[in-house]
Amino acid sequence: MAFNMKALLGMLFVFIGCCSNVVFLELIIQIDPGAGNLITFSQFLFIALEGLIFTSKFFTVKPKIALKDYVILVLLFFGANVCNNYAFNFNIPMPLHMIFRSGSLMANMIMGIILLKKRYNLRQYSSVAMITAGIVLCTLVSSGDVKDNTHHTLRVDTSYSDFFWWSVGIALLTIALLVTAYMGIYQEVIYKRYGKHPSEALFFTHMLPLPGFLFMAGNIVQHLNIAVASEAVAVPVLSALGLNWKFPLMLFYLLCNVVTQYVCISAVYVLTTECASLTVTLVVTLRKFVSLLFSILYFRNPFTANHWIGTILVFFGTILFANVINQLKDAYQARSKRRFDTAPQPKKVD
């Protein structure tokens, strides 16, 4: 029961933390669209400092998992992100990029079959296909107004070269998708080898990449100055205490974004220790879907018939994946059996 409760709480905090994180991300981007590196660095620094103090205790606690495994995870993470970002240089439009990122559930299933020799039943295959189709449909419809912001640094002269560079971009997106799926599988493998240590994994996977941000130092400082110079507002909590302190609005949003990201990613790491990789990917994928729907409502975009079709596919696909109908049926049968067993039985007549 404790196992299920821990996993359930992890899923709950994934949705609470990650969805609220998206809200503060959107608020920051409205003020400064180029603040991506500042946001990422702030998140990594906060999580690394928290882990340094409470998990590693300033490196006095010996790691349970080998450092080389953490290095491999970090390299996989950076490799996937580099491929995703660099694909924009190869004539890949934003809608196609978003759709590829939505295929993580299917990719995880494929990698599980290839690497772990897992076998899934027809219900699982069908549910993953329905969820993937629903998210792709909603993403495609929602991204219809997104402009093609790709940076065409590689100029194309003919239709053949155009198709060639587009194919290179598709290859990069495919590699990123498979590497991300492999990263989830690899986490599952090392947890089986070393045991469950989500807090330690969270610390090392955020501490080790920090030196890489030195290459972005100029950009980070530039956007930090923009955040500091943003409109100053009174913080509601402090105002209630009678303190009329004002705080740069963007810095306040950034702080909220960092804290909610910590809640989100901590819950994801707990899930990686409690659930199979495919289940974790399902939860994270559904979280992205909920964030997409929330974004539609937040910006008051029209909720079209295609959105409804996509939502229905995701909803029924999730029910199918979780085997909810059979679980309810089993629970009802078990309850009926308990009632029968506890009911007064007629006395036997000799």
Side-chain angles (χ1 to χ4, degrees):
M1 183 65 182
F3 169 85
N4 290 333
M5 184 56 67
K6 197 170 182 180
L8 184 63
L9 286 173
M11 292 178 189
L12 180 64
F13 280 107
V14 164
F15 281 92
I16 292 173
C18 298
C19 291
S20 55
N21 177 261
V22 170
V23 174
F24 290 110
L25 175 63
E26 300 234 21
L27 291 171
I28 294 169
I29 296 303
Q30 284 179 351
I31 299 172
D32 181 13
N37 289 333
L38 172 63
I39 296 168
T40 306
F41 172 70
S42 301
Q43 293 171 350
F44 272 65
L45 182 63
F46 179 86
I47 294 171
L49 287 174
E50 188 276 340
L52 179 67
I53 298 168
F54 297 105
T55 302
S56 176
K57 301 188 189 306
F58 297 96
F59 299 108
T60 58
V61 177
K62 186 178 179 181
K64 306 294 190 302
I65 298 174
L67 196 60
K68 66 179 179 66
D69 288 307
Y70 286 129
V71 171
I72 291 172
L73 280 177
V74 169
L75 290 175
L76 289 171
F77 174 77
F78 262 76
N81 277 275
V82 167
C83 286
N84 272 321
N85 294 333
Y86 202 61
F88 284 126
N89 293 315
F90 295 90
N91 301 335
I92 298 297
M94 181 64 78
L96 185 59
H97 191 277
M98 294 169 69
I99 290 167
F100 254 85
R101 298 288 292 270
S102 301
S104 56
L105 195 59
M106 190 71 73
N108 187 279
M109 177 174 271
I110 293 170
M111 294 297 282
I113 293 170
I114 296 172
L115 298 177
L116 300 181
K117 309 300 180 185
K118 287 188 174 183
R119 291 294 175 265
Y120 302 98
N121 54 41
L122 181 61
R123 173 181 60 79
Q124 291 171 307
Y125 284 122
S126 302
S127 62
V128 168
M130 286 175 69
I131 293 167
T132 303
I135 291 174
V136 166
L137 179 60
C138 282
T139 305
L140 184 61
V141 175
S142 299
S143 59
D145 295 329
V146 176
K147 305 300 179 185
D148 182 2
N149 294 320
T150 56
H151 307 289
H152 300 290
T153 55
L154 297 172
R155 298 297 176 189
V156 292
D157 300 315
T158 66
S159 58
Y160 295 105
S161 58
D162 192 358
F163 178 76
F164 172 77
W165 291 121
W166 179 83
S167 301
V168 172
I170 292 295
L172 284 172
L173 289 178
T174 304
I175 291 170
L177 193 64
L178 294 177
V179 168
T180 302
Y182 176 71
M183 188 168 66
I185 299 290
Y186 191 71
Q187 281 181 309
E188 190 176 339
V189 170
I190 63 175
Y191 283 141
K192 284 181 180 177
R193 188 186 308 160
Y194 297 104
K196 303 171 181 179
H197 308 286
S199 297
E200 179 186 297
L202 185 66
F203 166 60
F204 278 101
T205 52
H206 285 78
M207 183 272 294
L208 291 175
L210 283 179
F213 287 101
L214 289 172
F215 296 102
M216 313 168 192
N219 180 268
I220 292 170
V221 171
Q222 176 190 351
H223 290 281
L224 179 61
N225 291 332
I226 295 173
V228 172
S230 62
E231 177 191 357
V233 294
V235 181
V237 177
L238 296 178
S239 298
L241 297 174
L243 300 173
N244 194 23
W245 292 352
K246 291 194 173 182
F247 203 70
L249 183 61
M250 185 174 159
L251 276 184
F252 174 71
Y253 289 153
L254 182 62
L255 177 62
C256 293
N257 176 271
V258 166
V259 172
T260 52
Q261 174 67 10
Y262 171 73
V263 173
C264 168
I265 199 70
S266 297
V268 170
Y269 271 77
V270 168
L271 278 184
T272 59
T273 65
E274 299 298 324
C275 307
S277 177
L278 185 65
T279 305
V280 177
T281 307
L282 171 72
V283 173
V284 174
T285 303
L286 289 176
R287 191 279 303 169
K288 292 178 182 177
F289 176 72
V290 171
S291 297
L292 174 64
L293 294 184
F294 181 83
S295 182
I296 292 169
L297 297 173
Y298 182 78
F299 289 107
R300 297 181 180 179
N301 292 325
F303 199 81
T304 65
N306 286 326
H307 283 112
W308 278 112
I309 294 170
T311 302
I312 291 169
L313 283 171
V314 171
F315 178 74
F316 282 106
T318 303
I319 289 177
L320 195 63
F321 184 91
N323 204 15
V324 171
I325 295 173
N326 284 340
Q327 286 186 19
L328 290 174
K329 188 188 296 182
D330 292 342
Y332 176 77
Q333 289 174 349
R335 187 179 177 184
S336 300
K337 186 177 184 301
R338 282 197 303 270
R339 283 181 176 176
F340 178 78
D341 292 341
T342 56
Q345 301 297 320
K347 293 182 180 180
K348 293 183 178 180
V349 178
D350 295 332

